[in-house]
Amino acid sequence: MLLTILFLVSLVSCKSILLTNDDSWVSTNIRAAYRDLTKAGYDVLLVAPVSQRSSWGGRFQIPSSKTLETDGEFGYVKAGSPSWGHEENDQHIWYFNGTPSSCVAFTIDYLLQSKEVSDFGTTIDLVVSGPNEDPNLLPGFYTNSGTMAAAYTALYRGIPAISFSGSDTNNSFFKDSLNTDLQNPANIYATKIVDLVDKYFNASNPFPPTTGLNVNFPPVGHLNSSCEDPKWTFTKLMGTGVFQQGVKYDSSSELLQVDIKYVDNIESLCIYGDCSLRAEHDVFLEFNCESTVSVFSIDYDANADQTDSVKKLLGF
Ligand SMILES: *[C@@H]1O[C@H](CO)[C@@H](O)[C@H](O)[C@H]1NC(C)=O
Ligand SMILES: *[C@@H]1O[C@H](CO)[C@@H](O)[C@H](O)[C@H]1NC(C)=O
Ligand SMILES: *[C@@H]1O[C@H](CO)[C@@H](O)[C@H](O)[C@H]1NC(C)=O
């Protein structure tokens, strides 16, 4: 009897997490998050693109052949290997030749159903995406970011999701950079992720449907030695500024280059959200050792006032 109760208790407390990103399954950031979430007692399945899919947004791409046509990120998986597979010594760490959005679908529709992971359940309690190797500050990066796309893809399936982005922009290979150095930004970010995931599962109810979180971490540790434990700051996505993706002409190469500029030119009008909160990019750009936490929704409809105005204008 006691054993049965203990077994039930452990079943209930073991929450399952799908961990993904857009910088590939071998990035230091995702491996540090995997290590720490697993250590914290979560049942974690890491399934992420075999190679960089940054800025692919929500594009849905799946393998068109049984094997990889080119090497994966950092040559860790070679061309000719199967289009999906796992670490030899850990069947909870998978690559998939797809995008962040298709990694979510692959995991839920195929991997968990096929029982290829013998000791994992068939459902996911939370999708954690990232931490990305670069901030994803909205509104500029909502549709562009593969990290955020994995989160909104999960929300469409009714699965709660949190996207995390860091300030360490180096595309680093875990075999080079995964260590126990307390100043390693990947380690600080992983600790913070466990803290927020604990808070999520500690809450008595899940988030309302369609609701996700977007988190941006400031420069920490080796990037800023006076910021080791960035505090959580509740923010909103929209302010008056936007990271605008533009182009500029480079006369030496005679090619266009991506030109990302911060412009502060959105009419300051708060239609949605808690208007008393500060925008995540404003808080982030102060570099005051704060991790921004913004709540987003995948309900795209304009609000009732906006809809009504348009309806009247069109005479419907
Ligand atoms: C950036 O990542 C590469 C690839 O893992 C690594 O060789 C290099 O040392 C890293 N650079 C820094 C400054 O961490
Ligand atoms: C989660 O709840 C436990 C038990 O009440 C508590 O010890 C822990 O500090 C909480 N963690 C967070 C991150 O809120
Ligand atoms: C580094 O952290 C300190 C302490 O929080 C902060 O005052 C400073 O602005 C930060 N600098 C950067 C570049 O993040």
Side-chain angles (χ1 to χ4, degrees), residues 194-196 198-199 202:
V194 171
D195 181 52
L196 193 61
D198 281 350
K199 282 192 204 308
N202 265 6

Side-chain angles (χ1 to χ4, degrees), residues 189-209:
Y189 296 154
T191 304
K192 298 302 289 183
I193 289 174
V194 171
D195 181 52
L196 193 61
V197 168
D198 281 350
K199 282 192 204 308
Y200 173 76
F201 284 117
N202 265 6
S204 45
N205 289 306
F207 295 157

Side-chain angles (χ1 to χ4, degrees), residues 13-79:
S13 61
C14 198
K15 298 293 187 183
S16 64
I17 294 174
L18 165 59
L19 178 62
T20 189
N21 74 355
D22 69 10
D23 296 312
S24 92
W25 76 311
V26 292
S27 86
T28 307
N29 276 352
I30 199 170
R31 294 298 179 111
Y34 175 80
R35 179 199 59 204
D36 287 8
L37 285 167
T38 304
K39 211 185 292 167
Y42 295 106
D43 211 2
V44 187
L45 193 56
L46 186 167
V47 184
V50 71
S51 51
Q52 264 293 348
R53 292 288 192 279
S54 281
S55 300
W56 281 57
R59 187 168 160 193
F60 197 79
Q61 180 213 42
I62 59 172
S64 53
S65 63
K66 285 184 187 163
T67 55
L68 301 179
E69 275 146 32
T70 51
D71 287 357
E73 200 68 22
F74 297 111
Y76 189 58
V77 185
K78 299 292 177 209

Side-chain angles (χ1 to χ4, degrees), residues 140-161:
F141 292 99
Y142 184 78
T143 53
N144 178 263
S145 160
T147 308
M148 288 213 68
Y152 59 67
T153 302
L155 291 178
Y156 283 123
R157 288 168 170 262
I159 303 170

Side-chain angles (χ1 to χ4, degrees), residues 219 224 226-227 286-289:
N224 182 354
S226 51
C227 179
E286 276 181 6
F287 294 111
N288 203 16
C289 198

Side-chain angles (χ1 to χ4, degrees), residues 26 28 74 133 168-177 223:
V26 292
T28 307
F74 297 111
E133 293 166 340
D168 194 349
T169 58
N170 191 35
N171 178 210
S172 83
F173 183 35
F174 79 102
K175 293 269 179 185
D176 296 336
S177 312
L223 302 172

